[in-house]
């Protein structure tokens, strides 16, 4: 999520950068002046958190750290940001050197259960062993790392974030090993934004859907115009992402439900490739609620997702059987959003022929980041004819939206300064004024809660507030409640 702060590019160009390097981090840590904050949990929130942090930094001191090695570390499991603060945040005054480390690995449940129990987990080590990537410094884009870090150490995170409320991860369908619910009453937890979720398909399926729905001519090329965005219905998405569809079967229940043989003559032989988050993921938990009623209802009211075993660790992506163009059903259970993006846009897109794939991501992810020339090989589709856009979600036309939360342990987090810093993030990070600084692509994925603005939605005159203000909500900390108009 790029933060377009005024004059960032100009500052970088002048060579006036004095970013907070790994060596400087080591020095400040040894001197006891470095303030370190560790957050674990939802990968869908990593860009939101990175964006908020950057807007509180002196631009000439900002650095970005991804886990991995070399010039292009993956950042799939851990990311971090360092700088000198440009203003007072919580109790820390301007000029304070701060390192914020964010663990994405394992998804939302890592921002809930270990926080509730005070259990240590691996967090990325940012120190002098990190190596420069060769990208320009100071960093101006949180998606472009200036350093790669390959070490991890076990520690208790200061706070956690999740795409849905902590209680939902105590439901059987969302329990990670050991499959035992924890007491979430130990947590100080509050919602801090509304996150828009979306259904994504690889480019080959996207183009086929466009032709099938008459949006492009027969044999035409993929068209990225918004008016040409194809749609999938909820029933198909629920079946596909819960393992109920397959290719090469006598039942003929697969991609042929949405792409006719007139568009793809090999449609019945196409394997249904599903790029999906594993158990413990908040993105997956929101899907379970939205499409399967899993985690809410019981018995015949619930559809059970296939390929997901309660209590199975989700740190490793599982492929069974291998993703391919032809076959029956294959799913890739990913531990983070980056792996889903890779599955959709790299793994499947690079297969020979015309393999199709479907998955789900938070809408703050974007397949074609503006100004980068990058194409990640997937596209978001409409759901039941409605595009997953901020303007559709804030008024309830698009309903696949859930409240994300931040939490810390009520008694174990004893550092008052850290708590003040985290409270500032939780209170202010999701306000319209903060979201308005974010990259125009990523702005489509996050809404300001109705509680962040006063008065009636219909009376809003400030254009920034109107841009992000949601008038929709569910009952407090209750994803199983229907979305409703509240302002």
């Amino acid at each position: 999520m790029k933060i377009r702060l005024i004059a960032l590019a100009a500052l970088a160009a002048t060579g006036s950068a004095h970013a907070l390097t790994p060596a400087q981090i080591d020095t400040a840590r040894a001197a006891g002046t470095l303030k370190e904050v560790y957050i674990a949990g939802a990968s869908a929130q990593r860009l939101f958190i990175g964006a908020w942090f950057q807007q509180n930094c002196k631009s000439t001191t900002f650095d970005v750290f991804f886990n991995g090695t070399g010039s292009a570390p993956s950042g799939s499991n851990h990311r971090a940001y360092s700088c000198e603060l440009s203003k007072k945040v919580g109790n820390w005054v301007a000029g304070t050197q701060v390192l914020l480390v964010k663990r994405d690995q394992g998804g939302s449940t890592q921002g809930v259960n270990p926080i509730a129990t005070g259990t240590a987990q691996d967090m990325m080590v940012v120190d002098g062993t990190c190596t420069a990537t060769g990208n320009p410094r100071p960093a101006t884009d949180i998606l472009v790392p200036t350093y790669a870090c390959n070490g991890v150490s076990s520690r208790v995170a200061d706070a956690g974030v999740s795409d849905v409320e902590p209680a939902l991860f105590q439901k059987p369908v969302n329990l990670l090993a050991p499959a035992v619910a924890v007491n979430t009453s130990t947590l100080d937890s509050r919602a801090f934004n509304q996150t828009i979720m979306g259904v994504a398909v690889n480019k080959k399926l996207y183009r086929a859907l466009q032709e099938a729905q008459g949006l492009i001519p027969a044999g035409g090329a993929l068209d990225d115009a918004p008016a040409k965005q194809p749609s999938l219905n909820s029933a198909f998405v629920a079946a596909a992402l819960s393992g109920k569809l397959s290719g090469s079967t006598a039942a003929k229940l697969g991609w042929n439900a949405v792409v006719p043989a007139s568009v793809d003559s090999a449609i019945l032989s196409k394997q249904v490739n599903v790029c999906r988050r594993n158990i413990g993921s908040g993105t997956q938990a929101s899907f379970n609620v939205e499409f399967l009623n899993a985690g809410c209802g019981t018995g015949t009211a619930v559809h059970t997702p296939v390929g997901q075993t309660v209590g199975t660790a989700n740190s490793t992506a599982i492929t069974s059987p291998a993703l391919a163009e032809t076959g029956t059903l294959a799913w890739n259970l990913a531990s983070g959003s980056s792996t889903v993006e890779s599955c959709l846009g790299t793994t499947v897109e690079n297969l020979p022929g015309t393999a199709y794939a479907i998955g789900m991501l938070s809408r703050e992810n974007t397949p074609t980041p503006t100004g980068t020339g990058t194409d990640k090989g997937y596209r978001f589709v409409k759901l039941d004819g409605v595009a997953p856009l901020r303007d559709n979600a804030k008024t309830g036309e698009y309903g696949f939206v859930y409240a994300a939360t931040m939490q810390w342990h009520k008694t174990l987090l004893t550092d008052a300064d850290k708590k003040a810093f985290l409270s500032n993030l939780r209170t202010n990070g999701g306000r319209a004024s903060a979201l308005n600084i974010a990259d125009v692509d990523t702005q489509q994925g996050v809404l300001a809660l109705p509680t962040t603005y006063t008065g009636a939605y219909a009376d809003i005159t400030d254009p920034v507030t109107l841009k992000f203000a949601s008038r929709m909500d569910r009952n407090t900390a209750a994803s199983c409640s229907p979305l409703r108009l509240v302002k």
Side-chain angles (χ1 to χ4, degrees):
M1 183 187 291
K2 291 177 284 186
I3 301 297
R4 294 179 178 170
L5 298 176
I6 297 173
L8 274 180
L11 283 169
T14 63
S16 59
H18 296 90
L20 196 57
T21 67
Q24 290 171 318
I25 286 173
D26 280 345
T27 299
R29 183 179 283 133
T33 58
L34 180 69
K35 309 303 182 183
E36 302 182 59
V37 179
Y38 291 80
I39 301 175
S43 60
Q45 302 303 319
R46 68 183 175 201
L47 304 183
F48 170 85
I49 290 171
W52 174 85
F53 185 80
Q54 188 180 11
Q55 62 191 266
N56 288 288
C57 287
K58 293 180 180 178
S59 58
T60 55
T61 68
F62 184 63
D63 266 309
V64 177
F65 305 80
F66 278 16
N67 75 284
T69 59
S71 59
S74 69
S76 59
N77 291 331
H78 307 268
R79 298 184 181 188
Y81 316 94
S82 67
C83 76
E84 292 181 4
L85 295 179
S86 62
K87 54 188 175 183
K88 186 177 181 181
V89 182
N91 298 331
W92 292 334
V93 298
T96 301
Q97 295 174 317
V98 180
L99 170 69
L100 187 152
V101 179
K102 169 68 174 67
R103 172 190 164 123
D104 297 331
Q105 186 175 11
S108 289
T109 195
Q110 300 304 125
V112 174
N113 290 10
I115 309 300
T117 58
T119 303
Q121 53 187 308
D122 283 345
M123 305 290 292
M124 184 169 70
V125 173
V126 179
D127 61 11
T129 64
C130 299
T131 58
T133 61
N135 292 320
R137 295 183 55 244
T140 59
D141 186 337
I142 64 172
L143 292 175
V144 181
T146 45
Y147 290 95
C149 305
N150 202 35
V152 295
S153 66
S154 183
R155 65 183 300 147
V156 176
D158 299 305
V161 290
S162 58
D163 295 328
V164 291
E165 73 277 8
L168 199 59
F169 294 99
Q170 312 318 313
K171 304 296 184 179
V173 70
N174 299 319
L175 276 175
L176 188 59
V180 178
V182 304
N183 179 14
T184 58
S185 68
T186 62
L187 296 173
D188 179 335
S189 179
R190 296 180 190 175
F192 68 148
N193 71 44
Q194 286 181 351
T195 301
I196 303 168
M197 301 295 181
V199 177
V201 300
N202 74 318
K203 286 170 61 177
K204 293 172 183 176
L205 177 56
Y206 192 87
R207 196 220 68 81
L209 290 171
Q210 286 184 315
E211 183 176 340
Q213 296 173 22
L215 299 170
I216 60 173
L222 184 149
D223 190 334
D224 275 323
K228 304 294 184 180
Q229 186 178 28
S231 179
L232 289 174
N233 64 59
S234 293
F236 178 85
V237 172
L241 286 168
S242 63
K244 294 301 182 182
L245 304 182
S246 66
S248 304
T249 67
K252 299 181 180 179
L253 185 63
W255 297 122
N256 62 302
V258 291
V259 177
S262 59
V263 171
D264 188 337
S265 60
I267 196 66
L268 288 179
S269 67
K270 285 192 178 298
Q271 180 165 277
V272 177
N273 293 308
V274 180
C275 303
R276 198 181 70 197
R277 297 294 302 279
N278 206 335
I279 195 167
S281 157
T283 305
Q284 183 63 32
S286 69
F287 165 80
N288 292 342
V289 170
E290 184 76 11
F291 294 93
L292 306 180
N293 203 31
C296 298
T298 59
T300 58
V302 176
H303 297 294
T304 303
V306 174
Q308 179 173 291
T309 304
V310 171
T312 299
N314 67 352
S315 60
T316 303
I318 303 167
T319 304
S320 175
L323 301 178
E325 180 184 5
T326 60
T328 53
L329 168 68
W331 55 86
N332 184 283
L333 302 182
S335 64
S337 298
S338 293
T339 314
V340 173
E341 287 191 300
S342 176
C343 176
L344 283 170
T346 303
T347 307
V348 177
E349 194 64 22
N350 288 341
L351 291 172
T354 55
Y356 296 158
I358 187 171
M360 187 178 59
L361 290 161
S362 60
R363 187 56 184 80
E364 69 167 9
N365 292 286
T366 179
T368 55
T370 300
T372 65
T374 301
D375 187 337
K376 298 180 182 179
Y378 69 88
R379 299 290 187 269
F380 286 101
V381 297
K382 294 178 179 178
L383 184 61
D384 297 322
V386 183
L389 300 175
R390 182 190 64 240
D391 286 347
N392 292 335
K394 70 182 182 182
T395 58
E397 293 177 68
Y398 184 86
F400 194 10
V401 180
Y402 287 85
T405 67
M406 169 174 276
Q407 46 273 333
W408 48 80
H409 198 285
K410 291 177 180 177
T411 58
L412 294 182
L413 182 59
T414 57
D415 188 317
D417 291 338
K418 283 188 180 182
K419 187 178 293 186
F421 180 85
L422 291 165
S423 294
N424 189 292
L425 165 56
R426 189 167 70 177
T427 300
N428 299 317
R431 294 186 182 278
S433 57
L435 300 178
N436 193 51
I437 302 173
D439 173 77
V440 292
D441 297 319
T442 313
Q443 286 179 8
Q444 290 293 347
V446 188
L447 294 171
L449 291 159
T451 53
T452 63
Y453 63 95
T454 59
Y457 179 90
D459 293 336
I460 297 174
T461 57
D462 173 54
V464 172
T465 301
L466 186 61
K467 184 178 179 181
F468 294 99
S470 173
R471 62 186 313 180
M472 311 301 297
D473 207 352
R474 304 174 192 271
N475 285 334
T476 303
S479 293
C480 293
S481 299
L483 198 65
R484 58 182 181 168
L485 190 73
V486 297
K487 279 198 174 183

